[in-house]
């Protein structure tokens, strides 16, 4: 058994898709559009492991959570970039491009080397090796 995909609602579908393509080397499908439900989505693949589904539909309310705080429920997903140097480089690239870095890069007590950044919609991504 494995996680097949994780889905994110977004109001900025094309921007979020381009973010993951640009910074995480995602490969996107052609997209799906259901005009009756006013629903659009893309599946993004990262070479192996779970895919990321980006979804947009009229009427989905904004998340009311403060992105800097922690809440019960799904709070982040982790992307492994292969090395400490890659964590450092990607974190710096995201910071320099204006994306918020919440933490790190740092060595955690449980053995991970990671940083935590926010994507354009405020979703937490742990970048780890």
């Amino acid at each position: 058994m494995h996680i097949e995909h994780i889905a994110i609602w977004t109001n900025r579908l094309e921007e979020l898709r381009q973010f993951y393509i640009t910074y995480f080397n995602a490969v996107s499908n052609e997209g799906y559009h259901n005009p009756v439900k006013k629903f659009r989505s893309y599946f993004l693949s990262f070479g192996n492991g779970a895919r990321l589904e980006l979804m947009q539909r009229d009427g989905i309310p904004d998340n009311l959570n403060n992105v800097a705080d922690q809440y019960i429920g799904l709070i982040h997903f982790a992307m492994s970039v292969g090395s400490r140097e890659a964590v450092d480089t990607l974190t710096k690239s995201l910071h320099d491009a204006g994306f918020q870095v919440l933490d790190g890069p740092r060595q955690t007590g449980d053995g991970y080397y990671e940083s935590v950044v926010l994507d354009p919609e405020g979703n937490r991504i742990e970048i780890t090796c």
Side-chain angles (χ1 to χ4, degrees):
M1 201 174 309
H2 68 277
I3 295 174
E4 203 285 327
H5 72 271
I6 295 171
I8 297 175
W9 283 115
T10 180
N11 289 318
R12 297 151 55 177
L13 185 63
E14 296 300 332
E15 180 183 356
L16 206 57
R17 176 178 173 248
Q18 193 58 51
F19 171 83
Y20 286 99
I21 290 170
T22 300
Y23 294 103
F24 294 92
N25 300 318
V27 175
S28 177
N29 71 349
E30 292 297 317
Y32 170 73
H33 180 220
N34 182 326
V36 173
K37 293 187 176 185
K38 298 180 182 175
F39 174 82
R40 299 177 90 70
S41 70
Y42 290 105
F43 273 96
L44 305 180
S45 300
F46 301 91
N48 59 33
R51 297 181 300 160
L52 186 61
E53 182 181 15
L54 305 177
M55 307 179 306
Q56 183 176 26
R57 186 182 79 204
D58 291 346
I60 302 298
D62 289 340
N63 187 327
L64 300 179
N65 293 339
N66 177 322
V67 296
D69 293 334
Q70 301 280 342
Y71 294 90
I72 298 297
L74 185 62
I75 193 65
H76 75 263
F77 60 92
M79 298 291 292
S80 177
V81 295
S83 70
R84 291 172 69 105
E85 295 77 21
V87 172
D88 294 343
T89 299
L90 181 53
T91 303
K92 182 178 182 332
S93 293
L94 289 164
H95 176 268
D96 292 350
F99 296 101
Q100 189 174 356
V101 177
L102 296 180
D103 193 18
R106 68 184 184 93
Q107 183 73 42
T108 66
D110 58 356
Y112 281 91
Y113 186 75
E114 67 185 28
S115 64
V116 179
V117 301
L118 298 179
D119 74 10
E121 285 277 11
N123 299 297
R124 288 173 178 250
I125 308 165
E126 255 182 26
I127 302 170
T128 187
C129 50

